[in-house]
Amino acid sequence: MSAKAKKAAPKKKPKGYKMPVPIPAGEVINDTIGKRKWRIGPSIGVGGFGEIYSACDHESSPKKTSNYPFVIKIEPHENGPLFVEKHFYIRNANKEEIAKFMKAKKLTTFGMPLYYGSGAHDFKGEKYRFLVLERYGKDLWTIFKDSGRSFPPTTVFQIGVQMLDVLEYIHSKGYVHADLKGANILLGLKKETKDQAYLVDFGLATRVNDKEFKPDPKCAHNGTIEYTSRDAHNGVPTMRGDLEILGYNMLQWLIGELPWEKSLKTPKTVQSMKEAFMKNVRSEIKQKYSSVPESLIKFFEYINSLQPKDAVDHQNCRQLFESYLKSQGVKNNKLDFSPKKKLSKGDTATEDSADETDEAEKKVPRKRAVNGVKTKRTRKAVVYDNCENEEPSDNEVKDTKKRKSLEPSVVVKVKRTKMAPKATPPAKKNHTNIATQTSVEKKRSPRQVSFDSPICEIIGEKKTEKNKSNGSINSSKDIFEDSISPEKKTKPRRKLLSEQEVTVKRVTKKKLTTVKKGKSWKDTPAIANGRSPPK
């Protein structure tokens, strides 16, 4: 029997959510409820449940465009987070209701996204759910990492005020966000909203439970573990839990990391560390993080005073943050994410920098005793303020000590070969040697070289009596006269490149010459010209 070929199962995330198939740019999605068509652009990113694409209005926008003012979140229809988020936006992100809240709070900008459309879409036989929102800029987590994991305190409290406004609006609708973090806070793209932070991703948003507070093990530790509130660790998200999550984010933006970040793999350990931290929040912050402003400590203390089901006084929390901003002289809403300035010359070194220098000195190896006598170790601290391409001034002390290598030294003998120098060619007729012209005969150009008589004397050519009688300053002979004079054409003796003797065999062909046969001496008489023939 031939078994039917089974289709490959779609990939799933660790939490069990199936990821959608990549959708190409140009695909048109029809919103039957809002009666609008949307055209998909390039992908922006992938979330924990689906993919986010840039998008534009299909009818009003031109076909060839790089400007996509919207985003479309797409997930397989069987997933759940986008279903929750879609219904939250439909109920709470109404344009008229948001405008009414802004007017009541006298806000010019507000960090709550607007709802533009949603629906279902079929692609390659698969059914998908989509949600259309406004497009925003960078998220705070990316900016936080690019800024050296630190924000200025004034910026931290400005963002805190903006998030309190959004949380107040959500809580007034009977919902909690439960997943506030830097990755879910985006900055506006428009000129008038570039300093406004927007809270997005309402996939974990839930209605406030009016029943008695009772831990739910099935929903325990939901959210992002480093920011999850104590109530959410027990499985019940609350309004005071949203404030606690905001406080953890602000503390991380101020000091760089949270005390429990090294234990994120064990949620119960993180939960116990948070409970110990919040139990003695003032002493914990004062002992470990002395630079944290008092307003944030009071904010944590206010959270501790609340019961799980108590209503939150957002105005009181806002006054805590605004009082700090007022004490720092902040009058505008401009967000500054520039990293902290490093210590300059006039600044005094901190305890941390002193500890680092002590550890560096301990790592320097001590000198060994020479001939049984211990030598004192002297070390001069040298500080160069110049850049690496500039030489230090003469007043600065240079550290000329060579760094000792830990590897054993190896002596290698290298035999250098001496090459015979090439002879200088003789001077041509009617040719003036520019290199040997003096400064008296011709003005020197920047690329010409002249030799005056004092230099010639140093080399070995002294003045003669004839030169003395002339009284000429430049009356000595040219130091290059021997090498250039045409009379001496003796070749210089070539020096051996090495002392090794090499025998070379050469095979030469003998020339065959024919000699005409002449008269022999035997044919001559015995005595010729008074000489006898050879014997």
Side-chain angles (χ1 to χ4, degrees):
M1 291 178 67
S2 61
K4 293 183 179 180
K6 294 182 179 180
K7 292 183 179 180
K11 293 182 180 180
K12 291 191 176 184
K13 283 282 182 179
K15 290 185 178 180
Y17 297 133
K18 188 173 68 174
M19 299 303 294
V21 178
I23 298 177
E27 180 78 9
V28 179
I29 293 179
N30 187 15
D31 181 8
T32 56
I33 300 173
K35 297 180 180 180
R36 295 181 69 177
K37 291 183 179 181
W38 306 95
R39 187 167 67 252
I40 289 181
S43 175
I44 294 176
V46 180
F49 58 88
E51 194 160 0
I52 304 172
Y53 295 89
S54 58
C56 62
D57 192 289
H58 179 61
E59 295 177 354
S60 60
S61 301
K63 291 185 178 181
K64 293 182 179 180
T65 178
S66 59
N67 184 21
Y68 295 94
F70 303 97
V71 295
I72 295 182
K73 302 178 77 172
I74 297 177
E75 72 168 9
H77 203 269
E78 58 194 78
N79 287 8
L82 194 58
F83 174 81
V84 175
E85 189 173 11
K86 181 187 76 171
H87 284 279
F88 172 82
Y89 277 109
I90 292 173
R91 294 172 181 172
N92 305 302
N94 192 321
K95 189 175 181 180
E96 287 75 15
E97 292 183 1
I98 291 176
K100 185 179 179 181
F101 180 83
M102 291 176 62
K103 186 178 180 180
K105 298 294 179 181
K106 299 179 180 180
L107 301 174
T108 54
T109 57
F110 183 51
M112 179 69 196
L114 294 174
Y115 168 79
Y116 284 92
S118 62
H121 179 70
D122 293 329
F123 180 73
K124 291 185 178 181
E126 289 285 338
K127 191 175 183 180
Y128 296 99
R129 184 183 290 110
F130 70 89
L131 174 66
V132 185
L133 302 171
E134 187 179 351
R135 186 176 180 178
Y136 300 108
K138 274 189 176 183
D139 61 275
L140 287 189
W141 179 248
T142 302
I143 301 173
F144 179 66
K145 292 188 292 184
D146 294 343
S147 303
R149 296 182 68 90
S150 178
F151 285 160
T154 53
T155 303
V156 172
F157 281 89
Q158 282 177 308
I159 297 171
V161 172
Q162 294 180 6
M163 291 300 102
L164 280 175
D165 293 336
V166 181
L167 290 178
E168 184 178 2
Y169 176 79
I170 296 170
H171 294 168
S172 65
K173 298 294 182 181
Y175 280 83
V176 293
H177 188 276
D179 196 22
L180 190 149
K181 57 182 179 181
N184 291 339
I185 301 175
L186 310 178
L187 296 180
L189 275 178
K190 299 177 182 178
K191 186 178 180 181
E192 60 273 11
T193 60
K194 64 179 181 178
D195 294 317
Q196 174 64 49
Y198 290 84
L199 182 60
V200 298
D201 198 348
F202 291 84
L204 294 179
T206 55
R207 278 188 175 275
V208 179
N209 190 359
D210 296 332
K211 296 179 182 179
E212 185 181 355
F213 183 84
K214 187 178 180 180
D216 185 3
K218 294 181 181 179
C219 301
H221 314 297
N222 272 359
T224 307
I225 193 67
E226 50 261 59
Y227 314 111
T228 304
S229 65
R230 292 168 294 170
D231 294 338
H233 275 294
N234 291 322
V236 185
T238 59
M239 292 184 183
R240 75 166 186 175
D242 275 353
L243 298 186
E244 188 176 330
I245 294 171
L246 175 60
Y248 292 152
N249 277 274
M250 293 175 67
L251 183 64
Q252 186 187 47
W253 297 335
L254 285 170
I255 64 177
E257 63 177 359
L258 295 171
W260 45 82
E261 283 192 25
K262 296 180 181 178
S263 306
L264 299 180
K265 292 182 180 180
T266 53
K268 289 185 178 180
T269 305
V270 176
Q271 180 182 1
S272 61
M273 292 179 71
K274 287 177 182 176
E275 289 174 353
F277 175 81
M278 293 297 290
K279 189 175 182 180
N280 304 303
V281 63
R282 178 171 288 275
S283 59
E284 287 282 338
I285 293 178
K286 286 293 183 181
Q287 290 176 5
K288 297 178 181 179
Y289 318 109
S290 58
S291 61
V292 174
E294 180 69 18
S295 296
L296 186 59
I297 299 174
K298 290 182 179 180
F299 179 66
F300 279 118
E301 290 177 341
Y302 171 72
I303 296 169
N304 284 334
S305 66
L306 296 173
Q307 295 298 320
K309 296 296 179 180
D310 287 350
V312 175
D313 189 354
H314 299 88
Q315 185 62 27
N316 180 33
C317 299
R318 193 181 290 105
Q319 287 178 357
L320 288 174
F321 294 170
E322 289 178 347
S323 64
Y324 173 78
L325 294 174
K326 189 176 181 180
S327 66
Q328 299 299 314
V330 178
K331 296 181 181 180
N332 54 17
N333 295 326
K334 188 174 182 180
L335 299 178
D336 179 22
F337 295 102
S338 58
K340 293 180 181 179
K341 295 181 180 179
K342 296 181 179 180
L343 288 176
S344 59
K345 278 187 177 181
D347 297 333
T348 56
T350 59
E351 295 178 359
D352 295 336
S353 61
D355 294 339
E356 291 176 1
T357 53
D358 292 341
E359 291 178 2
E361 289 181 3
K362 290 179 182 178
K363 293 180 181 179
V364 177
R366 294 182 178 180
K367 291 185 177 180
R368 295 180 179 178
V370 180
N371 297 328
V373 181
K374 292 183 178 180
T375 57
K376 292 183 179 180
R377 182 181 61 172
T378 59
R379 179 175 179 142
K380 295 180 180 180
V382 182
V383 179
Y384 298 113
D385 292 332
N386 299 332
C387 65
E388 60 182 2
N389 294 326
E390 293 178 356
E391 296 182 358
S393 60
D394 297 336
N395 297 330
E396 294 175 346
V397 182
K398 295 184 180 180
D399 191 3
T400 57
K401 292 182 181 180
K402 294 183 179 179
R403 182 171 62 89
K404 292 184 179 180
S405 176
L406 298 176
E407 298 179 359
S409 59
V410 180
V411 179
V412 181
K413 293 182 179 180
V414 180
K415 196 170 185 179
R416 296 182 180 179
T417 56
K418 296 182 179 180
M419 300 297 294
K422 294 182 180 181
T424 307
K428 297 179 181 180
K429 292 182 180 181
N430 300 327
H431 175 74
T432 56
N433 193 354
I434 299 173
T436 59
Q437 288 181 357
T438 61
S439 58
V440 177
E441 295 173 353
K442 192 175 181 180
K443 290 184 178 180
R444 185 174 64 180
S445 67
R447 298 182 63 84
Q448 295 174 0
V449 181
S450 64
F451 294 90
D452 294 332
S453 56
I455 301 176
C456 298
E457 287 182 5
I458 293 169
I459 293 173
E461 194 73 27
K462 294 184 178 180
K463 291 182 181 181
T464 59
E465 293 180 0
K466 187 178 180 181
N467 294 336
K468 288 179 181 179
S469 61
N470 293 336
S472 175
I473 298 172
N474 193 26
S475 59
S476 62
K477 292 184 179 180
D478 196 344
I479 62 173
F480 299 112
E481 184 179 357
D482 295 337
S483 61
I484 300 176
S485 64
E487 295 176 0
K488 297 179 182 181
K489 295 183 180 181
T490 57
K491 293 183 179 180
R493 296 182 66 182
R494 301 178 68 86
K495 295 181 181 180
L496 293 176
L497 300 178
S498 64
E499 296 178 357
Q500 185 179 1
E501 294 182 358
V502 181
T503 58
V504 181
K505 293 182 180 181
R506 294 183 180 179
V507 180
T508 58
K509 294 181 180 181
K510 294 182 179 181
K511 293 183 180 180
L512 298 175
T513 56
T514 57
V515 181
K516 293 181 180 181
K517 193 173 183 181
K519 293 181 180 181
S520 177
W521 57 273
K522 296 180 180 181
D523 299 335
T524 58
I527 298 171
N529 298 327
R531 295 182 181 180
S532 50
K535 294 180 180 180

